[in-house]
Every structure is written in C-alpha cells, then in structure tokens.
C-alpha cells in the first residue's frame, strides 16, 4: 500500500479505471458474441451498428488500438453482409 497521499490517489484512480476498462472490454466481447449468433440480416445490421459505435468509443479512449477496432469492424461487416 502506498504511503504518500498522491500515490494513494493514483491507486484509487487506477483501480477505478481498471474496472471501467474491464466492463467496456466485456461489453465488446458480449456484443460480438451476440452478433455472431443472430440469423436475420436486419437484426444483425442493427447489432453491428451498435457494436461499431462501442468499438469506435473504445478506440477513441485507447482501450484498444484504433487499427484493431477497425479490423474487428471490417471482419464483422463482412460477416453481416454475407448473411
């Protein structure tokens, strides 16, 4: 445990950010899994739009690399188009 006041604050901040980041990553994985289980094209397109927005926010916050988000969006878009 840190003894210095600023180090204690950094610990609190990093713990809070860690939980927020875990929640965001979990949401991306869950939405991706749900999208891949959808059979109808219209539902899949709606789910893809929502997931793309979540991926863009994650890339903007540097939760993931922007190119990784773009790659995931591209692959998922190909999947949805093939339905």
């Amino acid at each position: 445990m840190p003894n210095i006041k600023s180090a204690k604050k950094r610990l609190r901040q990093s713990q809070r950010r860690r939980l927020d980041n875990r929640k965001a990553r979990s949401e991306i994985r869950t939405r991706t899994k749900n999208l891949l289980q959808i059979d109808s094209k219209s539902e899949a397109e709606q789910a893809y739009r929502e997931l793309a927005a979540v991926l863009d926010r994650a890339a903007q916050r540097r939760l993931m690399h922007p190119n990784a988000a773009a790659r995931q969006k591209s692959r998922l878009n190909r999947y949805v188009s093939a339905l």
Side-chain angles (χ1 to χ4, degrees), residues 15-78:
Q15 287 172 338
R16 195 174 322 121
R17 287 189 182 118
R18 178 177 159 269
L19 292 176
D20 289 343
N21 291 341
R22 276 182 68 178
K23 183 178 167 188
R25 282 192 206 99
S26 175
E27 181 185 4
I28 290 171
R29 289 188 201 108
T30 302
R31 284 179 181 262
T32 303
K33 186 174 69 173
N34 290 342
L35 172 63
L36 295 175
Q37 292 174 350
I38 295 175
D39 291 332
S40 78
K41 186 168 177 106
S42 61
E43 288 180 32
E45 287 173 346
Q46 176 63 28
Y48 171 75
R49 278 194 295 274
E50 293 171 4
L51 177 57
V54 172
L55 286 169
D56 286 335
R57 276 195 302 274
Q60 190 174 17
R61 288 175 40 208
R62 295 300 290 196
L63 188 62
M64 63 190 312
H65 195 280
N67 290 354
R71 184 175 63 244
Q72 277 191 336
K73 284 175 20 183
S74 175
R75 289 176 180 170
L76 291 169
N77 192 23
R78 277 191 304 187

